[in-house]
Amino acid sequence: MVFKRKLDCLSVGFDFPNIPRAPRSCRRKVLNKRSDDDDVDAQICAIDLLALAGKLLQESESSSASSNAFEGNNRDHFGKEIKQEQDVKCKPINSESSDQGNSVSRPTYDNSTDKCVVNSFSFPDNDGDLERTPMSDYKKTHGLTAVGCENKDVNCDFYVNSGGITGETGGVNVNTGFKQGEATDRLGDGGLITNTCNLEDATALGVQFPKLVCVGGDLKLPSTMDMTPNGSFARHGNHTNLGRKDDDEKFYSYLKLSNKFKSYRSPTIRRIRKSLSSKYWKQIPKDFGYSRADVGVKTLYRKRKSCYGYNAWQREINYKRRRSPDRSSVVTSDGGLSSGSVSKLPEKGDTVKLSIKSFRIPELFIDVPETATVGSLKRTVMEAVSVLLSGGIRVGVLLHGKKVRDDRKTLSQTGISCDENLDNLGFTLEPGPSKVPLPLCSEDPAEPTDPTNMSERSAASPMLDSGIPHADDVINSGNIVDNNLEIVPYQCDISADEPLSDSKALVPLPALEVKALAIVPLNQKPKRTELAQRRTRRPFSVTEVEALVQAVEELGTGRWRDVKLRAFENADHRTYVDLKDKWKTLVHTASISPQQRRGEPVPQELLDRVLRAYGYWSQHQGKHQARGASKDPDMTRGRALESGVSV
DNA sequence: CTTAGGG
DNA sequence: CCCTAAG
């Protein structure tokens, strides 16, 4: 009744009857209830995932009717090779191993914590003559053996650079076990498998980070990325708090114990559990070369609310992308955070051939107790990477160590040409944009956008549920420069139906993984310190407010679902809860002095209508709801309750 | 899934 | 915006 009081003071001319608000007040607050859920969730999780995995496999098998040239032989080839390798070294992360992982890799945390820094992950060459080194050999070659902190001191920095370990005190084998094929034959062949998959480690891994591929700017998300902590995290109190701070090129990721993890995890799993079923493989059309938010993901997260806060990374890539002539024609299989091998970048006349051996990644500071197991270290690194990725990442281009920011320049203009020494060219993986410019009408009060258009637009190009602006939005904004870059992470380029067709090739990747990995609680919002995935704020535009008011006038204040359907049907980013909330704030706004209002000013006219409607519906609680106010003379006349109210 | 409210 | 309790 806060509003009521305030409104009364405003002598708006309304009567604010004491509305017998549904005694929700009797709701009691049950605290500490979630932890219980967690346990249950954790237990159920594995099972669900397993089941899901099975289902996925089936689906993928049936739907993987080879539709592209990459599939055939290469795939088989890949499958075999990988399989051989991994069969020996890896323990499949199936339900069993998951369980083990939960109990086996219980890191012991004490006071001493070592900080590790990971500067970069190395990737295999993508040249034609890349080393086709079997995983085992690869490891040997690079001396990559997971090494824990040998240093007793608090500082133990790990550096993992391309080409091997260059760290001073030890090396962390973060990514190995890749199989690399030729640039043109990479579909089922390339990519990294993030984990070394030592038997014990595999079991300890709640997170495998297998198939992330970045191809010439297109980031392809593995269908099997699991950033979901396995049960061990929760059970052992090994919660991980991923804090991050984006300091331009820096990316700090502190992984510490915290309960945050739990809090984010539980609902996630719940949602996952709920949505593990259907529409998993929905394909999304895309424009401008971007693949749109995947409905599948949406389904995974919040069916109705959309996948706000979800990470586009996660979208199941079942999208087969049409290669635009102007794009590099690289095809890569999924398989680890691999460098996108840019085999070719189109340019006037000449072709620039690039070979990305590694990406420079932002520094990752990791805290791990020296008593932690290697497995937990891996996990920790994994977490850090996950956060990095989940926040969205983008690729940066460095020329002579300098950042090339203008995305519009051609390569030659920038100085990247076949004549140049491409050694000067570098790529970085950076945390995604913390704030994506939203060239939405809401940002511009002056921009007249009527609800109709709003709808049309939405219909024509469904919003990315992530809150990422549409490609067209971006483009229209004329802000292309950086926006382009910023969208990068969300442009999942599914070069070739790998998730499906590869499911076989990926045999070594436990079915579970295929599934589990796909359901990670990724965040969209970069810079989000916690794993929380709050949606980006999207102020209501005047237009929207207008639409909202209109709808409420007609429907009343207790039918948000209808309001949503009526006025925001196609605005996926506006849930009925949002509308309700907005209405709430509108009423509040209308009740305070203009000086106290903030944000985009809402026309007084609208606010008046808000109060009017508010008053009206307060008085007609329920009575007219079914009918709709439009029929009510008071409302139609616009002066709703003036008469009978302010008496 | 919706609503209503508190945070 | 988020989270929850209640329906």
Side-chain angles (χ1 to χ4, degrees), chain A residues 88-136:
Chain A
V88 186
K89 323 187 76 58
C90 302
K91 169 155 187 157
I93 301 187
N94 52 27
S95 60
E96 298 164 54
S97 54
S98 283
D99 279 343
Q100 289 181 40
N102 291 341
S103 50
V104 172
S105 67
R106 165 185 295 176
T108 313
Y109 288 90
D110 57 21
N111 295 326
S112 77
T113 295
D114 295 326
K115 296 184 197 302
C116 301
V117 180
V118 179
N119 285 323
S120 77
F121 289 96
S122 72
F123 303 108
D125 266 332
N126 288 309
D127 297 339
D129 59 348
L130 41 151
E131 34 185 88
R132 296 183 76 94
T133 316
M135 278 196 272
S136 51

Side-chain angles (χ1 to χ4, degrees), chain A residues 316-564:
Chain A
E316 272 309 310
I317 35 248
N318 307 309
Y319 180 77
K320 184 164 188 171
R321 165 166 214 226
R322 279 182 235 97
R323 248 167 243 110
S324 67
D326 132 54
R327 273 184 165 285
S328 65
S329 58
V330 182
V331 178
T332 315
S333 77
D334 38 64
L337 175 58
S338 84
S339 65
S341 65
V342 183
S343 66
K344 177 167 101 183
L345 289 180
E347 181 49 8
K348 295 180 188 173
D350 295 303
T351 291
V352 177
K353 291 190 191 302
L354 300 173
S355 167
I356 302 176
K357 299 189 178 80
S358 73
F359 272 117
R360 209 173 84 185
I361 65 172
E363 251 176 324
L364 295 177
F365 289 132
I366 300 171
D367 285 1
V368 260
E370 59 184 34
T371 52
T373 62
V374 173
S376 69
L377 170 59
K378 288 182 181 178
R379 247 189 338 240
T380 303
V381 173
M382 184 63 236
E383 285 297 329
V385 175
S386 297
V387 173
L388 171 67
L389 295 177
S390 62
I393 65 174
R394 57 184 181 186
V395 173
V397 175
L398 297 175
L399 190 57
H400 296 291
K402 219 178 172 187
K403 227 171 176 177
V404 178
R405 291 184 174 281
D406 193 340
D407 288 3
R408 292 169 301 190
K409 280 187 182 173
T410 66
L411 296 184
S412 56
Q413 287 174 340
T414 307
I416 303 173
S417 74
C418 50
D419 303 325
E420 285 292 321
N421 179 4
L422 293 180
D423 288 348
N424 294 322
L425 186 61
F427 294 88
T428 62
L429 289 184
E430 310 162 13
S434 61
K435 179 184 174 187
V436 179
L438 295 180
L440 302 176
C441 52
S442 54
E443 303 291 342
D444 178 7
E447 180 184 346
T449 309
D450 80 76
T452 314
N453 292 334
M454 211 162 63
S455 303
E456 284 174 359
R457 180 168 71 168
S458 299
S461 50
M463 278 284 198
L464 265 183
D465 290 302
S466 53
I468 300 307
H470 284 307
D472 40 318
D473 284 333
V474 173
I475 288 175
N476 290 334
S477 73
N479 223 349
I480 310 176
V481 193
D482 262 272
N483 286 335
N484 249 348
L485 237 193
E486 316 223 301
I487 297 181
V488 169
Y490 306 101
Q491 306 173 30
C492 284
D493 181 271
I494 306 346
S495 50
D497 53 342
E498 50 272 22
L500 303 183
S501 57
D502 274 5
S503 53
K504 277 185 179 173
L506 295 175
V507 175
L509 298 182
L512 175 84
E513 191 184 324
V514 172
K515 213 14 182 229
L517 297 181
I519 15 186
V520 191
L522 306 178
N523 331 320
Q524 286 257 319
K525 312 332 169 204
K527 270 194 182 167
R528 199 151 294 304
T529 297
E530 309 173 0
L531 285 176
Q533 51 277 317
R534 199 188 185 96
R535 290 181 294 162
T536 50
R537 191 162 167 275
R538 287 180 147 186
F540 277 69
S541 63
V542 172
T543 298
E544 289 178 299
V545 170
E546 147 89 62
L548 174 59
V549 171
Q550 171 76 38
V552 173
E553 284 175 341
E554 298 171 6
L555 301 171
T557 54
R559 304 162 63 193
W560 301 109
R561 164 105 194 296
D562 294 330
V563 170
K564 154 76 178 170

